[in-house]
């Protein structure tokens, strides 16, 4: 039977596609069952059992290069998770070199980059670690939520551990939390909540710090994560010991004293918290008892700051101004040296140059794919046809997404117009109007957060990219009228009173104050104000506080108007 050309082409296309799949993927790889078992143990947060199993396997005697690479990846992962002594990157390099040449192993390549970064952190090269974590983000599949979360978590820790004070750690940790919520993974969600709270504490945002730490505490107790509970309680004690509230200071002292005798890894930190809080409570003898238990020379730089703070506080309570100033200066000098650390500058350079490195990496990948496509003209034509089909579907999906966003924006504009007329007719805000404005704010928040992950690789340009992608301009007058009215209603007339005491307050300052009163995420405030990065939001808070003549922070001013 003869086949017409019209019937031949679809059949050839299907056969070529099947041939391409077989050639490029080679079928699902088959691994040694012991390795798969070890991987499962790691995913179930049982690294100790995984390490015992992997140590019993001689990686060099495994039959295939794929098994040897898999063993190297899992061994590094288990050693790192078990805090084993890692002295070189030779093992993880076996895995990374192998997976770089196997496009069908994207998940394992992502992990290899992450754990090569973790090894470099252990070896003291934060700059190289940052670059590797960024590479992990660039090669990870969009649906690989766990590895996307873990890479962001490690980046957040690098920023935090190197005392980068522009909230970069908080942004990365919140991004990690978002990914872990999608998995979901309760252990790492609790880890992120605790770490975010600690980071807010470091920049003295007490309300945010306590909110995240207490949320972490509830989740940790629910999951019975004893080891993580100790860390989170220490963070809580760190936050409470600098409070001006006597109850917080006593609570911090009780946490520290309770845990100091049980916890070896954090013992010096807990003992210093106990000493500091006892000094603040004017119990000098007890404070000196705890200070005598630590050796200054073995303390990290961060703990040496607290060590000198303890002596400064003791001197202040005893009225010894000279001793107070001496110890305060010692602590302050150490803090300055940490803030000006060269590593911080290097981390910023990694971020600045990474886009070019990522483009080079992508170019190499596409070059490799192009060489594979030269296997035959039929395969190339088929691949092109399939590629066009996929692209057209993605374009259609993107078009539907943008259309949905445009509908949302139109609805917001309609709501804003209706709100303006209602506000004109009602000098007082009734509950129905208040609920309508709250719904409008929530809708806009969902719109921003729904698309924020699309610009993960460009967080400093989010505001600009968001407006350009969805043709969103800054909200109009009716929107701001609703925001101000809602802020007055929920914060006991804060806008009215602020304008009465400072009639020259700029309109943008009043609008910004209204947004802050609505407890909106930073990304939403960025989008509303037309800012490109979170740093602009923090600067604006400082400027508005100055315009209001505040001695403290804007967040504290707003809290004073919140219903108790």
């Amino acid at each position: 039977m003869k086949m017409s050309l019209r019937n031949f082409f679809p059949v050839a296309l299907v056969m070529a596609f099947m041939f391409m799949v077989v050639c490029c993927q080679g079928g699902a790889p088959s691994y040694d069952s012991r390795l798969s078992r070890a991987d499962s143990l790691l995913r179930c947060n049982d690294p100790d059992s995984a390490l015992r199993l992997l140590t019993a396997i001689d990686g060099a005697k495994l039959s295939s290069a794929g098994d040897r690479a898999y063993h190297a990846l899992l061994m590094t992962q288990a050693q790192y998770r078990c805090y084993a002594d890692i002295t070189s990157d030779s093992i993880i390099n076996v895995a990374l070199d192998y997976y770089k040449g196997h496009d069908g192993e994207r998940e394992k390549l992502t992990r290899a980059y992450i754990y090569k970064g973790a090894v470099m952190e252990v070896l003291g090269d934060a700059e190289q670690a940052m670059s590797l974590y960024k590479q992990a983000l660039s090669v990870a599949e969009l649906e690989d939520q766990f590895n996307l979360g873990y890479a962001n978590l490690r980046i957040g820790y690098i920023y935090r551990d190197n005392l980068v004070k522009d909230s970069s750690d908080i942004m990365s940790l919140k991004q990690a939390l978002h990914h872990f919520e999608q998995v979901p993974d309760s252990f790492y969600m609790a880890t992120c909540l605790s770490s975010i709270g600690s980071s807010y504490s470091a920049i003295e945002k007490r309300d945010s710090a306590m909110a995240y730490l207490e949320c972490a505490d509830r989740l940790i107790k629910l999951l019975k994560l004893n080891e993580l509970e100790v860390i989170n309680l220490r963070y809580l004690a760190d936050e409470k010991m600098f409070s001006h509230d006597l109850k917080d200071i006593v609570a911090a002292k009780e946490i520290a004293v309770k845990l100091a005798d049980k916890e070896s890894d954090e013992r010096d930190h807990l003992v210093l918290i106990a000493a500091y809080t006892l000094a603040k409570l004017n119990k000098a003898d007890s404070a000196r008892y705890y200070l005598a238990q630590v050796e200054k020379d073995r303390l990290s730089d961060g703990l040496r700051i607290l060590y000198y703070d303890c002596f400064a506080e003791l001197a202040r309570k005893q009225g010894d101004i000279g001793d107070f100033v001496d110890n305060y200066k010692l602590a302050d000098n150490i803090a300055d040296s940490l803030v000006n650390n060269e590593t911080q500058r290097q981390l910023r350079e990694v971020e600045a140059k990474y886009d070019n490195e990522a483009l080079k990496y992508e170019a190499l990948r596409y070059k490799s794919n192009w060489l594979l496509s030269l296997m035959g003209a039929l395969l190339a034509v088929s691949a092109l046809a399939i590629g066009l089909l996929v692209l057209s579907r993605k374009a259609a999906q993107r078009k539907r997404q943008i259309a949905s966003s445009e509908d949302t924006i139109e609805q917001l504009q309609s709501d804003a117009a209706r709100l303006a007329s209602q506000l004109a007719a009602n000098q007082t805000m009734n509950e129905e109007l208040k609920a309508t404005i709250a719904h409008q704010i929530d809708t806009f928040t969902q719109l921003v957060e729904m698309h924020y992950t699309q610009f993960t690789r460009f967080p400093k340009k989010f505001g600009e990219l968001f407006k350009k992608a969805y043709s969103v301009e800054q909200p109009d007058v009716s929107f701001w009228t609703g925001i101000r009215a809602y802020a007055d209603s929920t914060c006991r007339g804060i806008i009215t009173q602020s304008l009465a005491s400072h009639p020259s307050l700029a309109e943008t300052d009043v609008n910004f104050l209204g947004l802050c009163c609505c407890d909106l995420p930073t990304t939403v405030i960025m989008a509303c104000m037309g800012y490109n990065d979170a740093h602009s939001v923090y600067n604006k808070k400082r400027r508005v506080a100055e315009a209001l003549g505040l001695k403290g922070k804007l967040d504290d001013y707003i809290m004073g108007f919140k219903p108790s």
Side-chain angles (χ1 to χ4, degrees):
M1 179 186 299
K2 292 183 178 180
M3 182 180 291
S4 68
L5 183 61
R6 185 178 61 182
N7 293 330
F8 171 77
F9 183 74
V11 174
L13 189 63
V14 172
M15 291 178 66
F17 173 67
M18 294 174 65
F19 177 65
M20 180 180 69
V21 171
V22 171
C23 289
C24 294
Q25 294 186 348
S30 178
Y31 292 110
D32 187 301
S33 60
R34 295 171 296 175
L35 300 178
S36 299
R37 170 63 178 158
D39 203 348
S40 297
L41 289 169
L42 286 168
R43 292 178 188 277
C44 293
N45 290 317
D46 189 3
D48 295 310
S49 298
L51 185 58
R52 286 193 295 270
L53 176 58
L54 291 164
T55 303
I57 302 172
D58 187 346
K61 293 182 179 180
L62 291 170
S63 59
S64 70
D67 277 347
R68 291 191 290 274
Y70 196 14
H71 180 267
L73 172 61
L74 296 175
M75 178 62 80
T76 303
Q77 190 173 346
Q79 287 177 336
Y80 180 76
R81 297 275 300 280
C82 291
Y83 307 101
D85 187 23
I86 298 176
T87 58
S88 79
D89 59 352
S90 57
I91 296 177
I92 189 61
N93 283 342
V94 172
L96 188 56
D97 291 343
Y98 176 84
Y99 293 124
K100 280 181 179 178
H102 291 75
D103 283 346
E105 297 282 14
R106 288 276 292 280
E107 192 276 334
K108 291 183 178 63
L109 175 60
T110 303
R111 262 197 283 172
Y113 274 123
I114 288 174
Y115 283 97
K116 173 66 181 288
V119 168
M120 297 314 296
E121 271 198 87
V122 171
L123 298 179
D125 192 341
E127 181 184 5
Q128 179 67 7
M130 172 69 81
S131 180
L132 288 159
Y133 293 142
K134 291 287 189 176
Q135 285 178 293
L137 291 176
S138 73
V139 302
E141 299 280 8
L142 292 176
E143 62 271 16
D144 189 2
Q145 297 290 339
F146 181 86
N147 283 326
L148 287 169
Y150 196 68
N152 274 292
L153 179 66
R154 299 306 319 163
I155 289 170
Y157 283 166
I158 286 184
Y159 282 133
R160 186 189 68 181
D161 294 345
N162 287 280
L163 302 180
V164 176
K165 293 292 188 181
D166 65 353
S167 299
S168 295
D169 56 338
I170 294 174
M171 292 178 67
S172 294
L173 291 169
K174 284 186 175 181
Q175 190 63 41
L177 176 61
H178 168 77
H179 289 301
F180 288 131
E181 286 173 340
Q182 305 307 307
V183 176
D185 189 304
S186 299
F187 174 83
Y188 280 105
M189 286 166 59
T191 299
C192 288
L193 288 168
S194 181
S195 299
I196 293 168
S198 171
S199 293
Y200 270 125
S201 180
I203 58 175
E204 300 181 7
K205 292 196 171 184
R206 295 193 64 249
D207 293 335
S208 297
M210 291 303 299
Y212 277 96
L213 291 172
E214 288 173 352
C215 183
D217 187 55
R218 291 192 293 271
L219 183 56
I220 288 166
K221 287 177 178 176
L222 179 65
L223 300 173
K224 298 180 179 179
L225 303 172
N226 296 332
E227 182 179 350
L228 189 55
E229 182 175 17
V230 171
I231 296 172
N232 194 67
L233 284 173
R234 198 258 293 161
Y235 287 157
L236 277 167
D238 270 337
E239 174 58 30
K240 289 175 180 289
M241 71 174 171
F242 293 111
S243 172
H244 298 295
D245 189 328
L246 182 62
K247 291 188 294 183
D248 285 340
I249 298 170
V250 171
K253 186 263 294 183
E254 290 176 350
I255 291 172
V257 170
K258 178 181 178 181
L259 296 178
D261 294 332
K262 299 179 181 179
E263 180 59 29
S264 58
D265 292 339
E266 299 284 341
R267 190 173 191 280
D268 283 343
H269 197 155
L270 292 164
V271 166
L272 288 173
I273 293 174
Y276 186 81
T277 50
L278 286 164
K280 291 189 74 171
L281 295 169
N282 210 16
K283 296 182 179 181
D285 291 340
S286 297
R288 293 186 186 279
Y289 166 77
Y290 279 100
L291 283 170
Q293 297 182 33
V294 298
E295 298 177 21
K296 180 183 67 174
D297 293 339
R298 79 181 181 192
L299 298 175
S300 66
D301 287 338
L303 290 185
R304 282 197 297 128
I305 294 173
L306 182 54
Y307 178 82
Y308 288 120
D309 279 341
C310 290
F311 282 105
E313 185 64 22
L314 280 170
R316 188 179 71 82
K317 287 290 187 181
Q318 294 171 1
D320 189 341
I321 302 303
D323 196 26
F324 167 78
V325 171
D326 290 344
N327 283 286
Y328 178 83
K329 285 182 177 179
L330 287 170
D332 199 41
N333 289 338
I334 298 172
D336 284 343
S337 70
L338 291 177
V339 171
N340 295 323
N341 195 314
E342 177 68 9
T343 303
Q344 296 184 29
R345 184 187 63 78
Q346 293 173 342
L347 291 176
R348 288 304 180 210
E349 288 181 354
V350 169
E351 286 227 293
K353 73 182 182 182
Y354 186 74
D355 283 343
N356 289 332
E357 292 178 356
L359 288 173
K360 290 177 184 177
Y361 177 79
E362 291 295 315
L364 287 174
R365 282 182 51 211
Y366 285 125
K367 182 178 180 181
S368 175
N369 291 338
W370 172 249
L371 291 175
L372 286 173
S373 70
L374 294 178
M375 293 173 64
L378 180 61
L379 181 60
V381 172
S382 302
L384 179 61
I386 294 165
L388 289 173
L389 179 61
V390 171
L391 287 174
S392 66
R393 288 182 177 177
K394 285 186 176 180
Q397 182 181 8
R398 177 70 170 171
K399 187 175 180 181
R400 288 194 298 271
Q401 189 179 42
I402 291 176
S404 174
S405 298
E406 290 174 346
D407 290 340
T408 304
I409 293 167
E410 289 177 2
Q411 182 61 45
L412 284 169
Q413 293 172 340
S414 174
D415 286 348
R418 182 163 51 84
L419 287 170
S421 62
Q422 286 183 270
L423 287 167
N426 296 277
Q427 294 299 318
T428 59
M429 175 168 285
N430 58 42
E431 289 302 313
E432 180 181 356
L433 182 55
K434 181 177 174 181
T436 304
I437 296 176
H439 173 71
Q440 181 192 26
I441 294 170
D442 185 59
T443 303
F444 188 77
T445 299
Q446 291 180 32
L447 174 67
V448 174
E449 295 189 331
M450 179 173 63
H451 298 297
Y452 181 66
T453 54
Q454 295 181 16
F455 306 102
T456 301
R457 291 179 58 188
F458 308 96
K460 292 186 177 180
K461 295 184 178 180
F462 167 72
E464 177 183 351
L465 292 172
F466 179 83
K467 289 190 293 180
K468 185 181 295 183
Y470 300 103
S471 300
V472 178
E473 297 298 333
Q474 292 185 35
D476 59 14
V477 174
S478 58
F479 175 87
W480 293 119
T481 303
I483 289 290
R484 293 183 185 188
Y486 184 80
D488 257 346
S489 175
T490 56
C491 294
R492 296 188 297 194
I494 186 172
I495 301 297
T496 301
Q497 292 187 44
S498 297
L499 282 171
S501 59
H502 295 81
S504 61
L505 202 62
E507 185 173 354
T508 55
D509 291 349
V510 179
N511 293 341
F512 182 88
L513 177 61
L515 290 173
C516 293
C517 293
C518 296
D519 295 322
L520 297 172
T522 301
T523 50
V524 177
I525 296 177
M526 286 162 54
C528 288
M529 296 298 295
Y531 295 152
N532 291 337
D533 56 63
H535 193 62
S536 299
V537 176
Y538 302 136
N539 279 339
K540 185 66 172 177
K541 282 189 176 182
R542 178 177 53 79
R543 291 196 299 271
V544 173
E546 291 173 353
L548 288 168
L550 304 179
K551 293 183 179 179
K553 297 181 179 179
L554 185 64
D555 290 339
D556 295 333
Y557 175 74
I558 293 172
M559 285 301 300
F561 285 88
K562 294 273 187 181
S564 56

